Amino acid sequence: MGCESSKTKFQEKDPVLAQQYQETGDECLKRKSFLNAVNFYHKALEIEVGLNKCCNKTLLKKYRSLASSYQGLENYEEAL
């Protein structure tokens, strides 16, 4: 594996990066940029799940934020 793969693996497990994605998603949600918010929340969730933090409060917050974004897009099925 090259250095680029190692960097990607590190980033995939970086809780700070997950928090940055969450905060960016929050900002997008405030600005009613729901599709962008959904994308950022999905990235944050991928990292959190990769860290095996399946039952912590930050993971639940990300799921709630993602649901709110889907509601803004009037995609109620995904919000559920």
Side-chain angles (χ1 to χ4, degrees), residues 41-73:
Y41 291 137
H42 274 291
K43 289 177 182 180
L45 282 165
E46 285 176 32
I47 294 170
E48 288 284 331
V49 171
L51 291 169
N52 295 320
K53 294 184 176 182
C54 296
C55 297
N56 69 19
K57 291 180 184 180
T58 60
L59 185 63
L60 294 174
K61 182 179 190 258
K62 287 173 180 59
Y63 276 116
R64 276 184 286 213
S65 299
L66 181 61
S68 295
S69 299
Y70 276 122
Q71 285 178 320
L73 291 170

Side-chain angles (χ1 to χ4, degrees), residues 21-48:
Y21 282 138
Q22 173 72 35
E23 290 170 2
T24 304
D26 292 345
E27 188 61 36
C28 291
L29 185 60
K30 285 180 195 173
R31 295 177 185 209
K32 298 186 180 192
S33 180
F34 301 116
L35 189 56
N36 287 330
V38 164
N39 291 329
F40 282 110
Y41 291 137
H42 274 291
K43 289 177 182 180
L45 282 165
E46 285 176 32
I47 294 170
E48 288 284 331

